[in-house]
């Protein structure tokens, strides 16, 4: 079992930056891969970024590549999503997820409750 709690969301203007944090707990977190997903109002949840346990492999949705960076700090049981040059279309609830393998289509068994990111024009 893994528990995930997101934080760092907020209301910002286009072009601003935010760093989202995901605090993990539970024995199953050790060795896990992690990802960020997002869901905008009226839209389906979509993949944003993923990272392997040691951070050697990362994956990004094309629309955020070059603007978002996923990272982790395993001794602190933390996963991060650094977002720069935010756009109104980035507005969504952002979710942290954990699974056995990182990837765009990998299975993620554990999910946080989400943190709201709102980007004004």
């Amino acid at each position: 079992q893994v528990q995930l709690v997101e934080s760092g969301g907020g209301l910002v203007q286009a072009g601003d930056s935010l760093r989202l944090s995901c605090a993990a707990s539970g024995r199953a977190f050790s060795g896990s891969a992690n990802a960020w997903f997002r869901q905008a109002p009226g839209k389906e949840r979509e993949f944003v970024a993923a990272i392997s346990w040691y951070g050697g492999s990362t994956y990004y949705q094309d629309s955020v590549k070059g603007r978002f960076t996923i990272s982790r700090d395993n001794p602190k049981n933390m996963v991060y999503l650094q977002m720069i040059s935010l756009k109104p279309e980035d507005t969504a609830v952002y979710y942290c997820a954990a699974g056995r393998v990182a990837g765009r289509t990998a299975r993620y068994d554990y999910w946080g409750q989400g943190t709201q990111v709102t980007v004004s024009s």
Side-chain angles (χ1 to χ4, degrees):
Q1 187 70 31
V2 177
Q3 294 80 47
L4 305 169
V5 180
E6 303 94 336
S7 63
L11 174 62
V12 299
Q13 294 181 321
D16 284 354
S17 300
L18 277 176
R19 188 179 76 162
L20 305 183
S21 298
C22 174
S25 62
R27 289 189 293 272
F29 178 71
S30 181
S32 72
N34 293 91
W36 288 94
F37 288 75
R38 66 186 182 186
Q39 186 168 24
K43 298 183 179 180
E44 296 184 351
R45 185 175 298 183
E46 66 176 355
F47 170 83
V48 176
I51 187 168
S52 60
W53 172 251
Y54 292 111
S57 298
T58 57
Y59 309 85
Y60 295 94
Q61 182 198 99
D62 288 344
S63 67
V64 308
K65 192 174 299 182
R67 298 190 299 119
F68 291 10
T69 302
I70 188 170
S71 62
R72 66 190 309 141
D73 186 343
N74 289 340
K76 295 182 178 179
N77 292 343
M78 297 291 292
V79 181
Y80 305 100
L81 184 68
Q82 179 67 54
M83 306 182 292
I84 65 171
S85 301
L86 283 163
K87 304 174 181 180
E89 49 263 47
D90 295 318
T91 295
V93 177
Y94 283 72
Y95 298 90
C96 182
R100 297 185 66 179
V101 180
R104 302 174 188 271
T105 60
R107 176 179 175 178
Y108 296 98
D109 296 319
Y110 306 100
W111 297 80
Q113 297 186 60
T115 185
Q116 176 71 49
V117 173
T118 303
V119 185
S120 63
S121 60

